[in-house]
Amino acid sequence: GAISIDNTGSIWATVYFGRGGNVNKIIEWGTQQQKWDYVGVGWAIRAWGWLTLTNQYGDAILKQAFNPSLQQFLYDTQDEFYDSTRAICFRALSFLSRTDGAVSQQNLAIGDAYFYNGDVNKWKKFVYGILARSYNDLTNKNVYTTGHYADSAIKYASLAMTDNADNATSKFAG
């Protein structure tokens, strides 16, 4: 279920409008240019968005998201968002692990100047943190008691940020 009230809808607006199409373009252009590090970052941002969105609102628009031909949308379940988040995390990790094509820390640092400065290892830790949170968010679900989700939460938390230098923080120019 939802965790708190988002009176201004800022999370909704951020996920669907502020980042939505922009993340799609990062993934599209990164794929065309074989900038797999950019593609991985794009997927990482998408996974973070889905997890944040579903934790705030519960059910939301997943399968029909970013379809400009629709005026009404069907909502998808929170479970589908959790599953999608984890699948996207593994996709992000796959791309962030690639070193072929036009992968370049120096080039990624240009587009990533205000977050991790092109450091894919920190991006991987960010993704592991999303995975840990996604499994931990199932603590109120019956399936959590089986141990699988608890073990996964611990596993991915241990691969995520380990000190303040790894923290995801946004910097601003000026």
Side-chain angles (χ1 to χ4, degrees):
I3 58 171
S4 64
I5 297 172
D6 183 22
N7 287 329
T8 61
S10 61
I11 294 171
W12 190 275
T14 297
V15 171
Y16 290 113
F17 302 105
R19 292 195 186 114
N22 294 319
V23 168
N24 292 344
K25 285 295 182 187
I26 291 169
I27 293 167
E28 178 187 343
W29 291 342
T31 300
Q32 290 169 358
Q33 298 169 23
Q34 296 186 356
K35 293 181 179 179
W36 309 124
D37 42 1
Y38 272 92
V39 175
V41 166
W43 285 119
I45 293 168
R46 175 61 40 79
W48 173 84
W50 282 159
L51 183 63
T52 303
L53 183 82
T54 197
N55 283 344
Q56 181 65 44
Y57 296 105
D59 296 353
I61 304 161
L62 177 66
K63 295 181 195 88
Q64 295 178 337
F66 317 119
N67 184 341
S69 68
L70 298 176
Q71 293 180 348
Q72 293 182 328
F73 299 87
L74 299 175
Y75 278 53
D76 300 289
T77 67
Q78 190 172 47
D79 286 342
E80 290 173 293
F81 270 90
Y82 284 133
D83 290 345
S84 182
T85 295
R86 287 190 292 276
I88 291 170
C89 281
F90 293 121
R91 186 178 307 147
L93 290 168
S94 173
F95 281 108
L96 289 168
S97 296
R98 290 185 69 166
T99 57
D100 61 314
V103 169
S104 162
Q105 188 276 326
Q106 293 78 17
N107 185 271
L108 182 59
I110 296 168
D112 183 29
Y114 297 106
F115 205 66
Y116 280 139
N117 201 35
D119 186 336
V120 294
N121 290 319
K122 287 185 179 180
W123 275 106
K124 287 179 186 179
K125 289 180 179 192
F126 178 79
V127 173
Y128 287 130
I130 296 167
L131 280 167
R133 287 180 55 212
S134 77
Y135 284 110
N136 192 61
D137 289 344
L138 299 172
T139 56
N140 292 330
K141 311 282 189 209
N142 290 335
V143 292
Y144 194 77
T145 58
T146 65
H148 169 71
Y149 289 125
D151 291 347
S152 294
I154 292 167
K155 172 186 173 181
Y156 292 114
S158 70
L159 294 170
M161 295 80 165
T162 55
D163 60 42
N164 286 334
D166 296 333
N167 286 347
T169 56
S170 295
K171 301 168 200 73
F172 298 91

